[in-house]
Amino acid sequence: MSSSSSSSSPPFVFTCFLMIIILLTLNSPTTGNTTTTTTTRRQLRQLSVNYYAKTCPQLEQLIGSVTSQQFKEAPVSGPATIRLFFHDCFVEGCDGSILISTAPGSKVLAEKDSPDNKNLRAEGFQIINRAKSLVESKCPGGVVSCADILAIAARDFVHLAGGPNYQVKKGRWDGKISMATRVPPNIPRANSTIDQLIKIFKSKGLTIEDLVVLSGAHTIGFAHCEQFVARLYDFHGTKQPDPSIDTRLLKALKMSCPHYGGNADIVAPFDVTTPFLFDHAYYANLQGKLGLLASDQALVLDPRTKSLVQELGKDKQKFFQAFAVAMDKMGSIGVKRGKKHGERRKDCSFHM
């Protein structure tokens, strides 16, 4: 959520990835008690799985044809789109406002042009535009919102990468407001503390359990060096590495990410064991001090989140079930309805 995904093909990705694999002898612990993750949530009546049953009955198949092809051609589209959905929902709600481009000559920047969104991959935006074009060709006139297309595409990529295949409720309208200034207070950062993360999630109606479960999206994707380089050389101003990082991982990351003057394009995988597979290894990695971001590793260091990290690290099905529920809950944040509050854009990049 707080870092960038990157392509699966450039040499710098594999260089960093191979260094990590070579230098790490991975032995992921899976300890902890097993309990059931429960959340109390209020279903929004205006959203329904069959919302487009009459107006665009083939919607999911249309989007699925685009996402499946894109996943084969560029697997990076998966984490890029999932991250795009998070960033959309956390600012102004799940209303497609992240997709809006800044108007030419405007002094008011759109969300996507916020510095906090600078590392959002172009593939995420491209896949939504491709899916929207196909949907418009079969169900013309702005019948289907961009916000719903983004929610469905994110689910598709979760499943294509090996994760759960859950139903997506629909009926969102596209938001009319997209402002870069509203991004910073609402987006978790790579070095956010647990207190800061809990506060942001609570402001969205999400629980501590939701925080831990949704962080599991970092089971796929990559982050740029700038997101974690402070952990390697000057953690919290100590001029020392973060003591909570595995020494082998530290050595591998330092080889790719120098303190100063490194290649800005270099990335490392969130999940050093199975970076292209949506599974529950992320949680076992945290217990082995193999979290890439400070905000990731903090989840296993805080007693409020540690036990759930341990539980999810033991049970993939528990994680999959909890993730599906949490994505449904997150997908209901700030939903817009009707012409007073929203629109249905024919082009996701521009207001009607």
Side-chain angles (χ1 to χ4, degrees):
M1 290 179 293
S2 57
S3 281
S4 59
S5 307
S6 189
S7 173
S8 61
S9 56
F12 55 79
V13 172
F14 286 104
T15 298
C16 185
F17 175 52
L18 289 173
M19 286 180 181
I20 292 171
I21 293 299
I22 291 170
L23 294 177
L24 283 174
T25 303
L26 298 167
N27 182 17
S28 302
T30 55
T31 59
N33 298 322
T34 301
T35 60
T36 301
T37 299
T38 60
T39 56
T40 301
R41 58 200 182 96
R42 178 175 60 87
Q43 294 292 343
L44 295 178
R45 288 176 294 176
Q46 64 265 37
L47 296 182
S48 67
V49 172
N50 299 317
Y51 185 83
Y52 296 107
K54 293 183 179 180
T55 56
C56 192
Q58 69 273 46
L59 174 62
E60 299 235 3
Q61 290 77 16
L62 292 172
I63 297 175
S65 68
V66 176
T67 53
S68 60
Q69 182 63 34
Q70 186 71 11
F71 188 73
K72 294 176 183 177
E73 296 175 356
V76 65
S77 301
T81 305
I82 296 166
R83 185 182 180 223
L84 195 62
F85 185 50
F86 278 111
H87 279 234
D88 183 43
C89 291
F90 270 61
V91 182
E92 301 294 343
C94 307
D95 64 352
S97 55
I98 188 68
L99 305 171
I100 290 287
S101 297
T102 299
S106 175
K107 295 182 179 179
V108 180
L109 297 180
E111 282 177 36
K112 67 186 297 185
D113 293 319
S114 166
D116 292 271
N117 286 331
K118 67 179 181 178
N119 285 326
L120 289 176
R121 296 284 309 193
E123 290 86 348
F125 296 96
Q126 292 165 358
I127 193 67
I128 302 305
N129 288 334
R130 285 181 58 189
K132 178 61 173 176
S133 295
L134 179 59
V135 170
E136 282 294 320
S137 71
K138 303 297 182 180
C139 307
V143 171
V144 180
S145 69
C146 299
D148 277 342
I149 291 175
L150 177 54
I152 295 168
R155 184 279 315 278
D156 284 357
F157 282 121
V158 168
H159 183 56
L160 288 165
N165 186 19
Y166 53 91
Q167 291 188 316
V168 175
K169 294 186 179 69
K170 311 164 194 73
R172 302 166 187 82
W173 284 50
D174 299 322
K176 297 180 179 180
I177 298 173
S178 182
M179 298 175 63
T181 55
R182 300 193 179 186
V183 174
N186 292 291
I187 296 296
R189 300 175 184 275
N191 62 349
S192 292
T193 65
I194 293 297
D195 284 339
Q196 291 169 334
L197 291 172
I198 290 175
K199 182 178 180 180
I200 290 177
F201 274 67
K202 184 178 180 180
S203 72
K204 312 302 174 188
L206 300 174
T207 66
I208 294 177
E209 290 178 334
D210 296 324
L211 161 62
V212 177
V213 170
L214 291 171
S215 294
H218 280 179
T219 184
I220 55 175
F222 298 81
H224 287 80
C225 290
E226 65 176 338
Q227 299 292 324
F228 55 85
V229 69
R231 293 188 71 202
L232 311 182
Y233 301 97
D234 189 19
F235 185 61
H236 290 173
T238 62
K239 300 190 183 304
Q240 297 294 323
D242 182 349
S244 69
I245 189 172
D246 179 271
T247 54
R248 295 158 298 171
L249 177 60
L250 175 65
K251 181 178 180 180
L253 292 175
K254 279 188 170 181
M255 292 177 67
S256 295
C257 303
H259 197 182
Y260 302 107
N263 186 336
D265 291 330
I266 292 179
V267 296
F270 287 121
D271 175 354
V272 298
T273 56
T274 55
F276 300 105
L277 180 64
F278 197 101
D279 58 15
H280 65 317
Y282 165 82
Y283 297 103
N285 290 343
L286 297 186
Q287 296 170 73
K289 297 185 176 182
L290 299 175
L292 183 63
L293 307 182
S295 58
D296 287 325
Q297 195 61 49
L299 294 174
V300 79
L301 300 176
D302 193 290
R304 292 170 291 182
T305 51
K306 181 178 179 179
S307 61
L308 185 53
V309 168
Q310 293 172 332
E311 293 163 17
L312 298 178
K314 289 183 64 176
D315 192 335
K316 183 170 74 171
Q317 286 308 119
K318 176 186 286 290
F319 168 51
F320 279 13
Q321 292 168 5
F323 188 80
V325 171
M327 286 290 276
D328 176 60
K329 185 176 179 180
M330 187 188 75
S332 298
I333 296 173
V335 169
K336 309 295 189 299
R337 288 285 291 164
K339 293 183 179 180
K340 181 178 180 180
H341 303 289
E343 60 187 5
R344 288 197 180 119
R345 296 194 290 275
K346 297 178 182 180
D347 184 331
C348 294
S349 301
F350 302 98
H351 289 296
M352 293 176 59

